[in-house]
């Protein structure tokens, strides 16, 4: 759980850095993004990395489900009154729910972009697949009449990710046995910052694309 | 003060339980929660009804018997207290108080509020000891110098009274706080070092066998623990478990 979770955190950093190129406007931005997308789907090293990421996600999900089921079984009769909010954070008690939201998002997200890029009917511009237009159009209300809903859902999913990471990042270190009077406060701080900045970065893109096109 | 109690009533391990309501008047704020329960049971007996079964022994916060989940929290409101150390002044006049047993597959209900915590005993039997020769030539423990910091940490871990509040509180019914306290208490000291690898593996294996859930680091246990045992102990045990598994033959 901890290893796969932290590995996925690294993936998020890479993915976000790539996506941020969408902020670059005009022809230049389109070219840069499309070349980047081409590189990401063809480079053998990236291929290896992507298979590792798939494996990581699958392992993380299966492990998460197994843990959650075992943990439910460990308390067959529930409390009539239980006040978890007095002793633990909401995110820490709802990791499986937050994870499931992320899973639903992931499937829809892969279908919108990954599937189109690999198997979809996609235009070729300057010799490379034009994923840039697919992305930009997806959040354009003039082209996709669900653009507003999609933007909202993306922001919601990123909010879920923020909470998932808010507990998950720091929790992974505790799981691996790292708890130290000096380093743990640093880890907690980095975790909080990570859980706010990364989802905020991801969410900023659909918001930006939606606003400039409406 | 007047209070309304909703208390778990369960005939036996294989019966289905339910909450039962009792009103009490003229409860003194200076009573402990267990004294209030004694008065209630006295009233019930006088009325020819069945009193509530609950565990208690020392009534001074050291034995860990008094397992009650009160108003959604192990040992009720207040930090670093057991049920016997909880006073009725912690509640408001007219308040409805819910009293439930510890709920965990590994702590089956015996009757009403009384649960079977022998799973903890079996975890201790699996490795929670040091093998010291007691044939009469026992070496004085104080003969071995111990760094102050280690001694302090071992003593802090050793204050665990095995009450099970950590399990009762944890949304996963995980026993990690208890087990890690016991592992730490022994492994931090020189006498416990020789058996430290097998100890952590055996105790964790037994914990899993007993049907406790997995720790997901919510931290609820250390908040509700009457002895303030820190989850630093859990990290230490995770570390020891990992390295013992990697290095033991
Ligand atoms: C695809 C959907 C996902 C599901 C179903 C999922 C599910 C879970 C579950 C059930 C847990 C742990 C249980 C708990 O602590 O209560 C967890 C922990 C965690 N997750 Fe996820 N997750 C998902 C995606 C992600 C992503 C994308 C990341 C990071 C980029 C991530 C990072 C973490 C971390 C760091 C932990 C904590 C590990 C630990 O404490 O040992 N998860 N996840
Ligand atoms: S760790 Fe704390 S809550 Fe758990 S059994 Fe020991 S004293 Fe009780
Ligand atoms: S009765 Fe001993 S700790 Fe409460």
């Amino acid at each position: 759980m901890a290893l796969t979770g932290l590995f996925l955190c690294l993936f998020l950093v890479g993915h976000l850095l790539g996506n941020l190129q969408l902020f670059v406007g005009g022809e230049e931005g389109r070219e840069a993004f499309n070349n980047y997308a081409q590189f990401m789907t063809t480079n053998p090293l990236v291929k290896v990395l992507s298979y590792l990421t798939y494996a990581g996600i699958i392992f993380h999900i299966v492990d998460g489900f197994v843990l959650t089921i075992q943990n439910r079984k460990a308390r067959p009769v529930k409390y009539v009154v239980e006040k978890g909010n007095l002793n633990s954070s909401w995110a820490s008690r709802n990791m499986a729910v937050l994870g499931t939201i992320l899973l639903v998002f992931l499937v829809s997200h892969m279908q919108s972009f990954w599937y189109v890029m690999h198997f979809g009917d996609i235009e070729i511009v300057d010799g490379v697949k034009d994923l840039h237009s697919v992305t930009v159009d997806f959040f354009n209300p003039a082209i996709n009449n669900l653009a507003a809903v999609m933007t909202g859902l993306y922001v919601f999913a990123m909010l879920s990710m923020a909470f998932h990471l808010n507990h998950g990042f720091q929790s992974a270190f505790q799981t691996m046995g790292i708890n130290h009077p000096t380093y743990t406060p640093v880890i907690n701080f980095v975790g909080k910052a990570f859980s706010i900045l990364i989802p905020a970065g991801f969410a900023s893109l659909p918001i930006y694309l939606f606003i400039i096109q409406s | 003060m007047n209070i309304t109690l909703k208390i778990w009533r369960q005939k036996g391990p294989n019966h289905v339980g339910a909450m039962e309501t009792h009103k009490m008047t003229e409860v003194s704020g200076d009573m402990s929660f267990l004294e209030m329960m004694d008065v209630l049971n006295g009233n019930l007996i006088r009325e020819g009804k069945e009193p509530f079964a609950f565990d208690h022994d020392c009534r001074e916060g050291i034995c860990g018997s008094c397992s009650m989940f009160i108003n959604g929290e192990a040992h009720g409101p207040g930090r670093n207290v057991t049920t016997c150390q909880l006073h009725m002044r912690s509640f408001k006049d007219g308040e409805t108080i819910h009293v439930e047993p510890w709920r965990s597959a590994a702590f089956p209900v015996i009757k009403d509020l009384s649960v079977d915590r022998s799973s903890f005993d079996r975890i201790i039997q699996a490795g929670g000891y040091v093998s010291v020769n007691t044939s009469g030539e026992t070496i004085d423990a104080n003969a071995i110098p111990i760094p102050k910091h280690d001694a302090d940490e071992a003593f802090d871990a050793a204050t665990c009274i095995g009450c099970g509040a950590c399990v009762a509180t944890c949304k996963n019914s995980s026993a990690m706080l208890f087990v890690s306290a016991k592992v730490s208490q022994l492994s931090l000291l020189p006498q416990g070092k020789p058996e430290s690898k097998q100890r952590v593996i055996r105790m964790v294996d037994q914990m899993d066998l007993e049907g406790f859930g997995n720790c997901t680091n919510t931290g609820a246990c250390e908040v509700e623990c009457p002895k303030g045992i820190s989850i630093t102990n859990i990290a230490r045990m995770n570390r020891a478990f990992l390295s013992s598994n990697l290095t033991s033959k």
Side-chain angles (χ1 to χ4, degrees):
Chain A
M1 210 78 249
L3 290 178
T4 52
L6 286 182
F7 177 70
L8 292 177
C9 287
L10 284 180
F11 154 77
L12 288 182
V13 174
H15 190 27
L16 178 60
L17 289 178
N19 284 10
L20 287 177
Q21 297 177 62
L22 286 167
F23 274 122
V24 182
E27 247 340 278
E28 206 184 320
R30 179 217 291 261
E31 215 169 283
F33 186 79
N34 282 342
N35 286 334
Y36 163 74
Q38 166 86 359
F39 171 77
M40 292 305 279
T41 42
T42 50
N43 184 289
L45 205 71
V46 176
K47 269 232 156 76
V48 174
L49 215 55
S50 75
Y51 286 123
L52 269 177
T53 310
Y54 298 145
I57 290 181
I58 290 169
F59 197 85
H60 188 80
I61 295 170
V62 172
D63 204 12
F65 271 101
V66 171
L67 280 182
T68 306
I69 289 165
Q70 284 180 343
N71 290 347
R72 296 251 157 110
K73 270 208 203 128
R75 174 158 302 144
V77 183
K78 305 277 170 262
Y79 287 108
V80 177
V81 180
E82 188 172 14
K83 295 195 186 127
N85 59 322
L86 295 177
N87 52 41
S88 54
S89 72
W90 182 85
S92 76
R93 283 176 277 122
N94 291 282
M95 290 297 276
V97 176
L98 293 166
T100 308
I101 295 173
L102 289 178
L103 177 60
V104 172
F105 167 78
L106 200 65
V107 171
S108 141
H109 180 65
M110 297 276 284
Q111 197 248 333
S112 306
F113 301 107
W114 178 86
Y115 181 81
V116 172
M117 182 68 185
H118 284 257
F119 310 109
D121 186 11
I122 184 168
E123 233 180 293
I124 310 280
V125 175
D126 298 332
V128 291
K129 292 183 179 177
D130 189 13
L131 187 66
H132 185 266
S133 298
V134 172
T135 312
V136 172
D137 292 349
F138 189 77
F139 297 108
N140 184 346
I143 297 172
N144 179 0
N145 49 21
L146 284 177
V149 179
M150 284 302 156
T151 307
L153 287 179
Y154 265 65
V155 173
F156 175 70
M158 288 309 106
L159 210 62
S160 308
M161 183 154 85
F163 281 100
H164 194 78
L165 293 178
N166 202 286
H167 173 67
F169 190 95
Q170 136 280 325
S171 167
F173 288 88
Q174 168 83 3
T175 301
M176 295 187 299
I178 300 166
N179 188 323
H180 185 274
T182 321
Y183 306 132
T184 297
V186 177
I187 292 168
N188 289 348
F189 178 78
V190 173
K192 294 280 172 258
F194 190 89
S195 72
I196 294 169
L197 294 178
I198 298 281
F202 277 114
S204 69
L205 285 158
I207 296 176
Y208 169 75
L209 293 176
F210 182 77
I211 289 175
I212 59 162
Q213 297 183 105
S214 31
Chain B
M1 58 198 273
N2 300 328
I3 51 169
T4 303
L5 289 160
K6 289 186 187 285
I7 308 175
W8 188 256
R9 181 68 97 174
Q10 183 172 338
K11 247 183 135 162
N14 301 318
H15 288 74
V16 180
M19 299 300 263
E20 202 177 276
T21 307
H22 293 275
K23 289 205 186 293
M24 282 188 79
T25 53
E26 290 172 42
V27 175
S28 158
D30 295 332
M31 281 178 173
S32 80
F33 201 87
L34 296 189
E35 285 166 339
M36 183 278 295
M37 289 296 294
D38 291 338
V39 173
L40 171 69
N41 276 345
N43 293 344
L44 290 174
I45 290 167
R46 270 188 296 280
E47 292 166 20
K49 293 183 189 146
E50 177 90 6
F52 284 96
F54 64 89
D55 286 324
H56 59 103
D57 187 16
C58 71
R59 300 213 175 196
E60 56 178 7
I62 53 166
C63 74
S65 310
C66 51
S67 53
M68 287 187 198
F69 204 80
I70 303 164
N71 274 354
E73 283 187 277
H75 298 134
R79 298 291 167 241
N80 300 318
V81 289
T82 50
T83 307
C84 55
Q85 296 171 303
L86 178 69
H87 289 92
M88 293 313 294
R89 55 178 169 269
S90 311
F91 301 91
K92 286 191 289 288
D93 187 30
E95 192 168 343
T96 299
I97 305 170
H98 291 80
V99 191
E100 301 177 64
W102 286 174
R103 297 194 191 279
S104 160
F107 289 164
V109 171
I110 299 169
K111 191 171 193 249
D112 302 335
L113 301 169
S114 178
V115 297
D116 180 358
R117 281 169 281 188
S118 54
S119 47
F120 268 14
D121 300 339
R122 289 186 291 272
I123 293 173
I124 297 295
Q125 282 159 13
Y129 50 79
V130 286
S131 304
V132 176
N133 194 341
T134 52
S135 58
E137 311 256 317
T138 319
I139 300 166
D140 183 353
N142 290 330
I144 310 168
I146 298 166
K148 168 101 169 75
H149 183 70
D150 291 356
D152 285 350
E153 285 197 316
F155 269 123
D156 284 348
T159 58
C160 165
I161 53 177
C163 63
C166 42
V167 175
T169 291
C170 176
K171 78 171 183 60
N172 311 319
S173 287
S174 166
M176 290 285 276
L177 195 64
F178 165 75
V179 179
S180 69
K182 297 301 172 194
V183 165
S184 295
Q185 163 196 343
L186 298 172
S187 301
L188 281 164
L189 298 177
Q191 293 87 342
K193 289 259 189 312
E195 289 162 306
S196 63
K197 281 187 192 174
Q198 64 172 58
R199 174 183 307 115
V200 66
I201 293 174
R202 286 187 188 166
M203 289 178 79
V204 169
D205 285 352
Q206 188 63 35
M207 171 181 80
D208 290 340
L209 271 180
E210 297 290 347
F212 292 103
N214 311 290
C215 176
T216 59
N217 306 323
T218 69
C221 53
E222 71 172 0
V223 176
E224 300 289 352
C225 169
K227 298 295 151 187
I229 303 288
S230 159
I231 57 169
T232 314
N233 291 296
I234 297 182
R236 182 186 292 112
M237 183 165 80
N238 285 342
R239 212 154 61 222
F241 184 74
L242 199 67
S243 72
S244 301
N245 267 312
L246 291 175
T247 57
S248 62
K249 288 156 198 115

